[in-house]
């Protein structure tokens, strides 16, 4: 898939690009143009499933899906994991019919302006999660600890995605029926904000507004 890149996350009022990806939760392709003129769409652009926090973000989107569906908003979770590996994960971790797509090339992330940052920048961060980690850890040590704790086995496909030397920032974008961004949440690479998810109340409030437009 070839898409153009932008140098900053798309802001409200900007038309989202069309992207076409391999579907994970069903056969075939998923295109953003499929939703235009039909329904608003919440698209979550996450790192690969090897990232424990991205697995949690996907699960959180699945939990919100019924409430969003009541407002007429569809959901799409995009992960930087090869499609067959991702299908295997979703087969054993079903998520309430959440539509998901694979983008190992990260083309959709670039099209929405989500940057890749060098590992030296990422490794300078220490993550402090008293309820989950025994001590503050760098990102790689944290990932290894949480993956082992949660029983996630790193495969060769995961290792290929982790070997790029870059870290992908993530984000969520709420599009109206015309494909215009109306709300967004993007990751901030700082000690207290990395890996944070959007506030569900804020997201549902934005969805209510988009549903009535």
């Amino acid at each position: 898939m070839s898409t153009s890149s932008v140098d900053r996350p798309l802001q409200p009022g900007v038309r989202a690009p069309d992207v076409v990806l391999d579907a994970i939760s069903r056969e075939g392709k998923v295109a953003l143009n499929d939703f235009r003129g039909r329904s608003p769409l919440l698209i979550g652009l996450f790192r690969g499933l090897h990232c424990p926090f991205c697995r949690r973000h996907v699960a959180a989107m699945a939990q919100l899906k019924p409430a969003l569906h009541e407002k007429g908003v569809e959901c799409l979770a995009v992960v930087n994991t090869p499609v067959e590996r991702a299908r295997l994960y979703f087969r054993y971790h079903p998520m309430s019919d959440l539509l998901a797509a694979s983008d190992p090339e990260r083309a959709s992330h670039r099209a929405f302006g989500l940057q890749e940052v060098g590992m030296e920048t990422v490794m300078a961060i220490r993550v402090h999660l008293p309820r989950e980690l025994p001590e503050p850890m760098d990102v790689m040590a944290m990932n290894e600890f949480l993956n082992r704790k949660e029983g996630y086995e790193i495969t060769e496909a995961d290792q290929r995605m982790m070997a790029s030397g870059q870290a992908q920032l993530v984000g969520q974008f709420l599009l109206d029926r015309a494909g215009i961004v109306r709300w967004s949440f993007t990751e901030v690479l700082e000690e207290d904000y990395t890996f944070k998810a959007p506030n569900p109340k804020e997201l549902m409030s934005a969805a209510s507004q988009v549903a009535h437009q």
Side-chain angles (χ1 to χ4, degrees), residues 64 67-68 71 73 174 182-183 199-213:
L64 283 176
L68 289 165
K71 298 181 182 298
V73 178
L174 182 60
R182 297 301 178 188
W183 171 91
N199 183 298
K201 290 183 179 180
E202 178 184 331
L203 171 54
M204 292 306 299
S205 176
S208 295
Q209 295 178 29
V210 169
H212 290 94
Q213 289 177 349

Side-chain angles (χ1 to χ4, degrees), residues 42 56-71 73-75 95-96 98 172 183 197-205 207:
L42 175 66
R56 296 177 190 191
H57 293 334
V58 172
M61 179 178 280
Q63 290 177 344
L64 283 176
K65 180 180 180 294
L68 289 165
H69 185 72
E70 287 184 2
K71 298 181 182 298
V73 178
E74 299 294 333
C75 296
M95 296 190 190
S96 304
L98 177 68
Q172 299 186 39
W183 171 91
N199 183 298
K201 290 183 179 180
E202 178 184 331
L203 171 54
M204 292 306 299
S205 176

Side-chain angles (χ1 to χ4, degrees), residues 3-8 106-107 109-113:
T3 59
S4 59
S5 301
V6 292
D7 59 5
R8 62 192 293 263
R106 304 171 180 169
H109 296 63
R110 291 192 295 273
F112 276 78

Side-chain angles (χ1 to χ4, degrees), residues 4 8 40 55 63 86 92 105-106 108-109 128 146 158 185 200:
S4 59
R8 62 192 293 263
R55 296 196 300 271
Q63 290 177 344
Y92 290 99
E105 296 179 359
R106 304 171 180 169
S108 58
H109 296 63
H128 183 53
L146 291 179
D158 294 317
F185 175 89

Side-chain angles (χ1 to χ4, degrees), residues 25-47:
S25 44
R26 59 171 172 78
E27 296 297 325
K29 302 286 186 178
V30 179
L32 293 196
N33 275 349
D34 294 342
F35 299 91
R36 289 179 182 165
R38 194 187 81 192
S39 67
L41 174 70
L42 175 66
I43 178 171
L45 301 171
F46 306 116
R47 285 179 286 274

